[in-house]
mmCIF file of all heavy atoms in Angstrom:
data_model
loop_
_atom_site.group_PDB
_atom_site.id
_atom_site.type_symbol
_atom_site.label_atom_id
_atom_site.label_comp_id
_atom_site.label_asym_id
_atom_site.label_seq_id
_atom_site.Cartn_x
_atom_site.Cartn_y
_atom_site.Cartn_z
ATOM 1 N N ILE C 895 -14.607 -1.619 -34.701
ATOM 2 C CA ILE C 895 -15.776 -0.768 -34.928
ATOM 3 C C ILE C 895 -15.415 0.657 -34.526
ATOM 4 O O ILE C 895 -15.250 0.953 -33.333
ATOM 5 C CB ILE C 895 -16.983 -1.251 -34.101
ATOM 6 C CG1 ILE C 895 -17.280 -2.727 -34.396
ATOM 7 C CG2 ILE C 895 -18.198 -0.377 -34.365
ATOM 8 C CD1 ILE C 895 -18.365 -3.314 -33.531
ATOM 9 N N ASN C 896 -15.248 1.542 -35.514
ATOM 10 C CA ASN C 896 -14.909 2.949 -35.253
ATOM 11 C C ASN C 896 -13.674 3.090 -34.358
ATOM 12 O O ASN C 896 -13.657 3.879 -33.414
ATOM 13 C CB ASN C 896 -16.084 3.679 -34.625
ATOM 14 C CG ASN C 896 -17.294 3.730 -35.535
ATOM 15 O OD1 ASN C 896 -17.149 3.841 -36.766
ATOM 16 N ND2 ASN C 896 -18.480 3.637 -34.970
ATOM 17 N N GLY C 897 -12.652 2.313 -34.658
ATOM 18 C CA GLY C 897 -11.413 2.394 -33.899
ATOM 19 C C GLY C 897 -11.426 1.610 -32.598
ATOM 20 O O GLY C 897 -10.414 1.548 -31.893
ATOM 21 N N MET C 898 -12.551 1.004 -32.253
ATOM 22 C CA MET C 898 -12.686 0.221 -31.026
ATOM 23 C C MET C 898 -12.575 -1.263 -31.361
ATOM 24 O O MET C 898 -13.102 -1.716 -32.379
ATOM 25 C CB MET C 898 -14.030 0.522 -30.370
ATOM 26 C CG MET C 898 -14.326 -0.298 -29.119
ATOM 27 S SD MET C 898 -15.949 0.102 -28.453
ATOM 28 C CE MET C 898 -17.017 -0.429 -29.794
ATOM 29 N N LEU C 899 -11.878 -1.997 -30.505
ATOM 30 C CA LEU C 899 -11.742 -3.443 -30.688
ATOM 31 C C LEU C 899 -12.805 -4.156 -29.860
ATOM 32 O O LEU C 899 -12.933 -3.912 -28.660
ATOM 33 C CB LEU C 899 -10.351 -3.900 -30.265
ATOM 34 C CG LEU C 899 -9.171 -3.290 -31.019
ATOM 35 C CD1 LEU C 899 -7.854 -3.846 -30.498
ATOM 36 C CD2 LEU C 899 -9.295 -3.533 -32.523
ATOM 37 N N GLU C 900 -13.559 -5.027 -30.509
ATOM 38 C CA GLU C 900 -14.607 -5.760 -29.813
ATOM 39 C C GLU C 900 -14.330 -7.253 -29.898
ATOM 40 O O GLU C 900 -14.087 -7.800 -30.975
ATOM 41 C CB GLU C 900 -15.976 -5.446 -30.420
ATOM 42 C CG GLU C 900 -17.120 -6.205 -29.741
ATOM 43 C CD GLU C 900 -18.471 -5.886 -30.345
ATOM 44 O OE1 GLU C 900 -18.806 -4.681 -30.427
ATOM 45 O OE2 GLU C 900 -19.185 -6.833 -30.738
ATOM 46 N N TYR C 901 -14.387 -7.902 -28.724
ATOM 47 C CA TYR C 901 -14.148 -9.350 -28.656
ATOM 48 C C TYR C 901 -15.432 -10.030 -28.192
ATOM 49 O O TYR C 901 -15.937 -9.766 -27.097
ATOM 50 C CB TYR C 901 -13.004 -9.655 -27.670
ATOM 51 C CG TYR C 901 -11.708 -9.002 -28.062
ATOM 52 C CD1 TYR C 901 -11.395 -7.712 -27.624
ATOM 53 C CD2 TYR C 901 -10.795 -9.660 -28.882
ATOM 54 C CE1 TYR C 901 -10.212 -7.108 -27.993
ATOM 55 C CE2 TYR C 901 -9.608 -9.052 -29.259
ATOM 56 C CZ TYR C 901 -9.314 -7.776 -28.816
ATOM 57 O OH TYR C 901 -8.133 -7.175 -29.180
ATOM 58 N N ASP C 902 -15.954 -10.876 -29.030
ATOM 59 C CA ASP C 902 -17.182 -11.616 -28.723
ATOM 60 C C ASP C 902 -16.780 -13.028 -28.292
ATOM 61 O O ASP C 902 -16.223 -13.792 -29.092
ATOM 62 C CB ASP C 902 -18.093 -11.664 -29.947
ATOM 63 C CG ASP C 902 -19.466 -12.226 -29.630
ATOM 64 O OD1 ASP C 902 -19.607 -12.872 -28.572
ATOM 65 O OD2 ASP C 902 -20.393 -12.018 -30.437
ATOM 66 N N PHE C 903 -17.045 -13.367 -27.040
ATOM 67 C CA PHE C 903 -16.639 -14.677 -26.521
ATOM 68 C C PHE C 903 -17.662 -15.769 -26.848
ATOM 69 O O PHE C 903 -17.500 -16.905 -26.408
ATOM 70 C CB PHE C 903 -16.435 -14.584 -25.009
ATOM 71 C CG PHE C 903 -15.414 -13.541 -24.606
ATOM 72 C CD1 PHE C 903 -15.757 -12.478 -23.785
ATOM 73 C CD2 PHE C 903 -14.118 -13.616 -25.079
ATOM 74 C CE1 PHE C 903 -14.829 -11.517 -23.434
ATOM 75 C CE2 PHE C 903 -13.177 -12.658 -24.728
ATOM 76 C CZ PHE C 903 -13.536 -11.602 -23.907
ATOM 77 N N LYS C 904 -18.718 -15.389 -27.556
ATOM 78 C CA LYS C 904 -19.757 -16.329 -28.005
ATOM 79 C C LYS C 904 -20.552 -16.904 -26.834
ATOM 80 O O LYS C 904 -21.762 -16.789 -26.768
ATOM 81 C CB LYS C 904 -19.143 -17.461 -28.842
ATOM 82 C CG LYS C 904 -18.351 -16.985 -30.049
ATOM 83 C CD LYS C 904 -19.185 -16.120 -30.984
ATOM 84 C CE LYS C 904 -18.362 -15.649 -32.185
ATOM 85 N NZ LYS C 904 -19.164 -14.750 -33.058
ATOM 86 N N ALA C 905 -19.862 -17.504 -25.898
ATOM 87 C CA ALA C 905 -20.514 -17.977 -24.674
ATOM 88 C C ALA C 905 -19.928 -17.191 -23.496
ATOM 89 O O ALA C 905 -18.890 -16.554 -23.617
ATOM 90 C CB ALA C 905 -20.288 -19.475 -24.486
ATOM 91 N N THR C 906 -20.622 -17.245 -22.365
ATOM 92 C CA THR C 906 -20.158 -16.483 -21.199
ATOM 93 C C THR C 906 -18.794 -16.983 -20.743
ATOM 94 O O THR C 906 -18.594 -18.185 -20.513
ATOM 95 C CB THR C 906 -21.158 -16.603 -20.040
ATOM 96 O OG1 THR C 906 -22.432 -16.102 -20.472
ATOM 97 C CG2 THR C 906 -20.688 -15.808 -18.838
ATOM 98 N N LEU C 907 -17.844 -16.049 -20.633
ATOM 99 C CA LEU C 907 -16.501 -16.351 -20.144
ATOM 100 C C LEU C 907 -16.512 -16.166 -18.625
ATOM 101 O O LEU C 907 -16.886 -15.103 -18.137
ATOM 102 C CB LEU C 907 -15.497 -15.406 -20.787
ATOM 103 C CG LEU C 907 -14.015 -15.793 -20.717
ATOM 104 C CD1 LEU C 907 -13.755 -17.034 -21.560
ATOM 105 C CD2 LEU C 907 -13.167 -14.626 -21.224
ATOM 106 N N VAL C 908 -16.139 -17.194 -17.892
ATOM 107 C CA VAL C 908 -16.162 -17.134 -16.427
ATOM 108 C C VAL C 908 -14.735 -17.192 -15.915
ATOM 109 O O VAL C 908 -14.056 -18.208 -16.036
ATOM 110 C CB VAL C 908 -16.995 -18.283 -15.825
ATOM 111 C CG1 VAL C 908 -17.020 -18.163 -14.303
ATOM 112 C CG2 VAL C 908 -18.415 -18.264 -16.384
#
Side-chain angles (χ1 to χ4, degrees):
I895 305 175
N896 297 325
M898 177 182 63
L899 300 180
E900 179 180 307
Y901 300 89
D902 189 343
F903 303 120
K904 304 303 180 183
T906 301
L907 197 67
V908 181

